[in-house]
C-alpha cells in the first residue's frame, strides 16, 4: 500500500546552506545529508521561471523560491503538486505574519520559532490547519504560556 | 536578560567565522560548554543549551550527545523546557534510536496534561516520529482524544492517528468509529484531519471502505457548502474557500467512488458543479480543478463528464503557467490509453510544448507525443519528433531515439520511410542510440530488397561526410561490404547515384579502419566489409589483400584474428572465398540467432562468416557486438550467453565437409563448457572468479565472473583493473551491474591483456558494489593466472 505523504521539507539558502529540515519518514543522518546535498544541487541549478516540479528517484519534488530561500518538498507520486505549491505559499505567509516581513535572517536567528510554526501547520507530512489565523493564535498563546514560565523562573527570589 | 540572546549570540559568532576551520573551532568550544552544562544540575539554561545544540546540528555537526538531554527536558514540568525537548526529539531522535523509547512514558503523561499546549507537543511528536511500538502503546489514548476534547486537540489527534495507522495498519479498526463522527465537526482543521484519516483507513481496509461509502452524501454536502459558500476570510485563497479541504474531500470521494456505480453516481453532479464553478485563474483554483479531473477519470463517471475533464486538461495546456501545463500533460499521460481519441484532439498543443524552454515540460511533452503516435499521424508527428531530437537536451536524447525507433517500427508507412527515419536519427543523435539499433537496422535493410541500391548510396554519402558516429559508420560499412557492387555500378532509381571508383570505396573503408575515432567494433565492421568487397570488385583485389595482411599484425587482438583468418581465406582457401563472402539472404527477425547455425546442415556455403556475425549480435554484449570468423571457429573472449552452444553447432558443419583443415588452422580446439577458474575474491557473499580463456606469448584474454550468495541482490557492481606499465589492458563492457541473489545469476566481464614485452603478468582488481545499502570496495591482487581452457 503506497504511503501517500510528504517525505521531507527543506529550506535551502541561495548559497546552499540548510536553514530548516523536517523529515517525515525515519531516515539515517547519513541519508539525510545525502538527500540534502542532492536537493541543493538540483534545485539551485534550476533556471528562473522554470517549472516548479521535478522528478527525483521515485519522488516528486516541488520547490519554490522566496527571496533568498528555496522551499523544497519531496512527495509521493500520488500527491497534487499544485496544492503543495499552495501549502508552501501558506507556510511562507504564516512566517511572514509572525515575524513581520520575514526574511532569511529571521529564520536563521529564530529557527526554533520557524519549527514551532511548522509544527502547528503540518504534522506527519499532512496539513494540520487550513485556517490562516489559527496558527498565529496558537503561537501567541503558547508564547504567553512560555513567557509566564520564564518570568516566573527569572523572578528574583527576594 | 532574555536567555534567547545567548542562543542568538552564538549564532552571530558562528556566522562571523571567516573560514570553515574557524567555524569548526567556535562550534567545538560551544559544544564543549554545552556538554558541561548538560552534566550540571538544573540551572534554568538547559533549554537554551539544547536549542544551541540543535542549531549546530542543522549546520551538519554531530549532536548525538544531546539525545538524552532531550529525554530529560521532555520530562521536565516546565513548558519551555518541554517545548525545546520535544523539538530536539523530533530532530535528533528517530524511531531507529533506542533513546526514542524512553520518551514514550513522558508522551503518555503529557497526552493527558491539563494544558492543551503540552498535549499538543506530545501529539505532534508522536505523529512525526512515533515508532510502531510507541504507536501500539499509545493508540487508545489517541482514540480517547479523538472523541472528547476541543477542536485544537482533535485535529492533532486525527493526524496522529493517521501516523499510527501508517505504522501499524491493524490499529485502523480502533479509529474507525471515532473518525466517522468527526465528519460532523464544523472546524475546518478537524474536518481536514478527519478526511485524511478516513482516506488512510479506506485505502488500507476494503471493509472500512465499504462502510464509509455510506458517508458519501455527507461528504458531498460538505463539499457543496465549500464551493457555494460566500467569502470566508479565514479560509479564502484566491477566491476559493479552503482549497486544501476541497482537494482532500475530492480525493476521498475518488477512493470511495472507484469501481462503484452508486457512489460514482452520487458524486457526478458535484463534480460537474465544481468543474464549472471553480475559478482557475490562480494556482489554488487550478489545484482543485486538477483534483476534480483526477477524480472524474478515476471513478465511473458519465461520458459527458469525462469529456469535460479532458477539455479542462486541454485548457490547462494553453495556460501561461508552466506548472499547469506540466500537470496537464502528466494527467493526459495517465488517460492516453483509455481516452486516446480525446487526448488526440490536443495533439497540436502537446507537440508545441516540445518547444518549451523548460526541461520538465519538454520531458512530459515527449512522453505524451510518443504515446500519441498512430498510423494516421506518423508522418507529421515524426517530423516534429525529429525536429525535437536535433535540439533536445542531452538527458532526453536516449529516450527520444528509442521512442522514435519504436514508433517507426510500429507505424512505418513504407520501408523507405523507415530506413530514412532511422538514418536521420543516427546522423543527428547516433551516439545516444541503444546498441541493438545497429543489428536491427541491418536486418531491416536486408528485408528491403528493392532498396538495397538506395540504401547503400545514402550510407556511402553519410560515411564520406562524417565518420564519428559509430553506429552509423558500422551500418554504413556493413552495407558497403554487402552491396558495394550496387554502389559501383553507378546507377540508382531512387536517388542520385554516385560515380565512384573502387579505390574511392576502399579509401572510405580504410579511413574508418585507421581513424582514432573508430571503436574496435567499428574497425571490425570495416575490415570485414573490405574483405567482402574482394568478391564484388574486379580491379583492386590486391589492395584488399595487402590491407588484410597488414592488419594481421594489428595490436587489437580481435582485428588481428580477423585479418589472419581473412588472410587464410586468400591463401589457403581461396577456392572457397567467393562462396563464403557471397550476398547474405534476408535475415529473418523472428529467429534471433539460434537457427542459422543449425540450419546450415552440411553445406559450408551457408556458414558465411557475416551471417554468423548477425547471430552473435546480442543486446547483452555491446562492445563485443560483431563477432566473426573468430567465433565461428570458437575463438577467445566468448560472449557469455548462448554463443558457446552456437559456436559448437556452427563448428559441426564445418568439420563435416571441407572444414577439417580450418580447425587445424587454430591448432585444434576443444571448447570445454567449464574452463578452470580461480576464485580471486570472496567476501560479503560476493565471489569473483577468474578464468583464462586464451593465452598467447604476448597476451591473454580472461573472464571475470561475479556471483552472489546472499539473500538480496547486489547492485552497482563495477570492476576496475590495473596492470604493470608495459601491459595494455582492455576491459570489455560487463554483462550487467546487478548480481541476482542466491547465486541465481552472475555478471561477467571480459578483459584483454596485451603483454608485448612479455613481463610477468600481474593484475590488481578493484571491486565496488552495493550490498544491502552498504557500498563496499575492495582491491585484490592477482599474481598468477590459471592456465587457459585450451
Amino acid at each position: 500500500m503506497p504511503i501517500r505523504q510528504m517525505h521531507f521539507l527543506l529550506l535551502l539558502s541561495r548559497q546552499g546552506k540548510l536553514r530548516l529540515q523536517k523529515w517525515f519518514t525515519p531516515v539515517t543522518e547519513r541519508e539525510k545529508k545525502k538527500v540534502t546535498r542532492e536537493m541543493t544541487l538540483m534545485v539551485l541549478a534550476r533556471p528562473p521561471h522554470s517549472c516548479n516540479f521535478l522528478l527525483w528517484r521515485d519522488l516528486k519534488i516541488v520547490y519554490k523560491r522566496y527571496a533568498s530561500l528555496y522551499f523544497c518538498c519531496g512527495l509521493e507520486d500520488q500527491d497534487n503538486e499544485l496544492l503543495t505549491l499552495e501549502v508552501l505559499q501558506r507556510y511562507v505567509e504564516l512566517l511572514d505574519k509572525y515575524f513581520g516581513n520575514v526574511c532569511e535572517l529571521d529564520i536563521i536567528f529564530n529557527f526554533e520559532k520557524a519549527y514551532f510554526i511548522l509544527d502547528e501547520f503540518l504534522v506527519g507530512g499532512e496539513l494540520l490547519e487550513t485556517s490562516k489565523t489559527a496558527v498565529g493564535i496558537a503561537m501567541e498563546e503558547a508564547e504567553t504560556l512560555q513567557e509566564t514560565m520564564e518570568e516566573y523562573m527569572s523572578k528574583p527570589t527576594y | 536578560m532574555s536567555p534567547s540572546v545567548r542562543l542568538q549570540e552564538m549564532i552571530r559568532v558562528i556566522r562571523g567565522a571567516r573560514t570553515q576551520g574557524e567555524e569548526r573551532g567556535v562550534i567545538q568550544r560551544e559544544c564543549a560548554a554545552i556538554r558541561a552544562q548538560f552534566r550540571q544540575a538544573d540551572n534554568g539554561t538547559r533549554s537554551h543549551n539544547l536549542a544551541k545544540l540543535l542549531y549546530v546540528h542543522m549546520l551538519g555537526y554531530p549532536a548525538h550527545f544531546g539525545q538524552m538531554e532531550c529525554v530529560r527536558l521532555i520530562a521536565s514540568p516546565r513548558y519551555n523546557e518541554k517545548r525545546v525537548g520535544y523539538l530536539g526529539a523530533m530532530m535528533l531522535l528517530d524511531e531507529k534510536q533506542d533513546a526514542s523509547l524512553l520518551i514514550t512514558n513522558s508522551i503518555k503523561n503529557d497526552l493527558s496534561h491539563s494544558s492543551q499546549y503540552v498535549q499538543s507537543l506530545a501529539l505532534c511528536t508522536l505523529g512525526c516520529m512515533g515508532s510502531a511500538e510507541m504507536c501500539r502503546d499509545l493508540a487508545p489514548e489517541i482514540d480517547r482524544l479523538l472523541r472528547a476534547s476541543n477542536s485544537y486537540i482533535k485535529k492533532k489527534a486525527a493526524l496522529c492517528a493517521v501516523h499510527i495507522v501508517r505504522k501499524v495498519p491493524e490499529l485502523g479498526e480502533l479509529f474507525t468509529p471515532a473518525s466517522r463522527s468527526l465528519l460532523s465537526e464544523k472546524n475546518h482543521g478537524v474536518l481536514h484531519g478527519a478526511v485524511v484519516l478516513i482516506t488512510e483507513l479506506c485505502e488500507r481496509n476494503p471493509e472500512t471502505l465499504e462502510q464509509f461509502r455510506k458517508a458519501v452524501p455527507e461528504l458531498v454536502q460538505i463539499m457543496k457548502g465549500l464551493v457555494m459558500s460566500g467569502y470566508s476570510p479565514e479560509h479564502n485563497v484566491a477566491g476559493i474557500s479552503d482549497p486544501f479541504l476541497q482537494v482532500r474531500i475530492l480525493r476521498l470521494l475518488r477512493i470511495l467512488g472507484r469501481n462503484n456505480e452508486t457512489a460514482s453516481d452520487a458524486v457526478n453532479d458535484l463534480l460537474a458543479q465544481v468543474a464549472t464553478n471553480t475559478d482557475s485563474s490562480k494556482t489554488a483554483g487550478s489545484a482543485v480543478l486538477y483534483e476534480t479531473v483526477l477524480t472524474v477519470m478515476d471513478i465511473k463517471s458519465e461520458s459527458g463528464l469525462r469529456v469535460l475533464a479532458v477539455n479542462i486538461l486541454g485548457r490547462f495546456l494553453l495556460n501561461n503557467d508552466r506548472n499547469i501545463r506540466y500537470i496537464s500533460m502528466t494527467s493526459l499521460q495517465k488517460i492516453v490509453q483509455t481516452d486516446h481519441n480525446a487526448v488526440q484532439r490536443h495533439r497540436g498543443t502537446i507537440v508545441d510544448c516540445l518547444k518549451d524552454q523548460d526541461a520538465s515540460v519538454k520531458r512530459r511533452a515527449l512522453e505524451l507525443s510518443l504515446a500519441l503516435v498512430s498510423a494516421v499521424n506518423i508522418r507529421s508527428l515524426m517530423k516534429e519528433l525529429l525536429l525535437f531530437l536535433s535540439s533536445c537536451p542531452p538527458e532526453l536524447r536516449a529516450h527520444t531515439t528509442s521512442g522514435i525507433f519504436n514508433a517507426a517500427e510500429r507505424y512505418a508507412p513504407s520501408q523507405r520511410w523507415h530506413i530514412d527515419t532511422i538514418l536521420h536519427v543516427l546522423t543527428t543523435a547516433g551516439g545516444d542510440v541503444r546498441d541493438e539499433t545497429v543489428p536491427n537496422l541491418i536486418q531491416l535493410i536486408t528485408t528491403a530488397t528493392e532498396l538495397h541500391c538506395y540504401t547503400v548510396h545514402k550510407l556511402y554519402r553519410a560515411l564520406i561526410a562524417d565518420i564519428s558516429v559509430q553506429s552509423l559508420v558500422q551500418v554504413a560499412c556493413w552495407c558497403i561490404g554487402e552491396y558495394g557492387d550496387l554502389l559501383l555500378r553507378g546507377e540508382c532509381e531512387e536517388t542520385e547515384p554516385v560515380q565512384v571508383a573502387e579505390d574511392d570505396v576502399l579509401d572510405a573503408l580504410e579511413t574508418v579502419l585507421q581513424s582514432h575515432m573508430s571503436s574496435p567494433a567499428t574497425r571490425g565492421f570495416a575490415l570485414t566489409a573490405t574483405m567482402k568487397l574482394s568478391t564484388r570488385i574486379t580491379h583492386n583485389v590486391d589492395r584488399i589483400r595487402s590491407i588484410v595482411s597488414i592488419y594481421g599484425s594489428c595490436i587489437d587482438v580481435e582485428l588481428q584474428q580477423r585479418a589472419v583468418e581473412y588472410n587464410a581465406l586468400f591463401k589457403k582457401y581461396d577456392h572457397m572465398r567467393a562462396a563464403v563472402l557471397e550476398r547474405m539472404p534476408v535475415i529473418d527477425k523472428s529467429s534471433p540467432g539460434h537457427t542459422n547455425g543449425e540450419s546450415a546442415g552440411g553445406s559450408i556455403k551457408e556458414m558465411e562468416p557475416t551471417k554468423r556475425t548477425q547471430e552473435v549480435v546480442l543486446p547483452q554484449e555491446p562492445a563485443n557486438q560483431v563477432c566473426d570468423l573468430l567465433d565461428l571457429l570458437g575463438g577467445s573472449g566468448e560472449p557469455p550467453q548462448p554463443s558457446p552452444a552456437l559456436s559448437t553447432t556452427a563448428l559441426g558443419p564445418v568439420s563435416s565437409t571441407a572444414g577439417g583443415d580450418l580447425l587445424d588452422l587454430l591448432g585444434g580446439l576443444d571448447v570445454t563448457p567449464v574452463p578452470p577458474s580461480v576464485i580471486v575474491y570472496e567476501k560479503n557473499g560476493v565471489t569473483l572468479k577468474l578464468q583464462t580463456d586464451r593465452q598467447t606469448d604476448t597476451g591473454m584474454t580472461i573472464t571475470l565472473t561475479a556471483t552472489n550468495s546472499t539473500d538480496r541482490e547486489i547492485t552497482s557492481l563495477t570492476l576496475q583493473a590495473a596492470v604493470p606499465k608495459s601491459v595494455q589492458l582492455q576491459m570489455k563492457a560487463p554483462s550487467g551491474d546487478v548480481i541476482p541473489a542466491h547465486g541465481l545469476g552472475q555478471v561477467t566481464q571480459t578483459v584483454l591483456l596485451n603483454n608485448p614485452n612479455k613481463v610477468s603478468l600481474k593484475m590488481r582488481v578493484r571491486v565496488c558494489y552495493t550490498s544491502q545499502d552498504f557500498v563496499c570496495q575492495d582491491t585484490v591482487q592477482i599474481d598468477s593466472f590459471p592456465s587457459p581452457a585450451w
Side-chain angles (χ1 to χ4, degrees), chain B residues 536-557:
Chain B
R536 288 160 175 77
I537 61 175
T538 42
H539 306 302
N540 267 322
V541 185
D542 280 330
R543 183 174 169 184
I544 296 182
R545 246 189 269 265
S546 65
I547 293 175
V548 163
S549 87
I550 289 171
Y551 278 87
S553 31
C554 173
I555 274 192
D556 184 307
V557 180

Side-chain angles (χ1 to χ4, degrees), chain A residues 1 4 19 46 49-53 80 86 108 110-111 120 126-127 129-132 141 146, chain B residues 8 15 51 83 117 152 155-156 166 192 203 234 236-237 242 248 287 291 322-323 358 360:
Chain A
M1 195 68 246
R4 305 172 167 201
R19 295 300 177 207
R46 296 281 281 179
H49 308 300
S50 302
C51 182
N52 293 89
F53 312 132
N80 184 326
E86 285 299 316
I108 294 171
N110 299 287
F111 70 95
E120 290 292 330
E126 299 287 350
L127 206 54
E129 180 55 71
T130 60
S131 150
K132 291 188 212 175
E141 298 195 3
Q146 180 152 332
Chain B
Q8 295 184 340
R15 282 171 62 78
R83 214 179 184 196
Y117 292 101
Y152 182 71
K155 72 184 185 199
K156 299 206 177 199
R166 284 176 181 160
H192 186 275
E203 280 192 305
E234 209 183 333
N236 180 69
V237 181
D242 205 340
R248 289 315 300 236
E291 196 73 31
R322 272 208 176 99
N323 294 329
D358 185 275
S360 306

Side-chain angles (χ1 to χ4, degrees), chain B residues 395-453:
Chain B
E395 63 269 13
L396 288 178
R397 289 176 84 136
H399 191 68
T400 314
T401 56
S402 65
I404 288 176
F405 286 153
N406 286 339
E409 183 143 329
R410 288 172 68 188
Y411 299 112
S414 73
Q415 281 184 320
R416 180 171 158 172
W417 181 94
H418 195 176
I419 291 175
D420 280 341
T421 305
I422 299 186
L423 289 181
H424 189 132
V425 173
L426 288 180
T427 338
T428 329
D432 295 292
V433 298
R434 277 207 315 269
D435 303 303
E436 53 263 34
T437 311
V438 170
N440 284 347
L441 180 55
I442 289 177
Q443 188 267 332
L444 177 64
I445 291 174
T446 58
T447 50
T449 33
E450 325 76 58
L451 293 169
H452 286 169
C453 189

Side-chain angles (χ1 to χ4, degrees), chain B residues 654-684:
Chain B
V654 183
S655 45
S656 65
T657 55
D661 294 343
L662 273 170
L663 279 176
D664 286 343
L665 185 76
L666 289 168
L669 83 100
D670 283 324
V671 179
T672 51
V674 186
S677 63
V678 162
I679 296 178
V680 297
Y681 169 83
E682 202 164 19
K683 196 176 165 194
N684 298 335

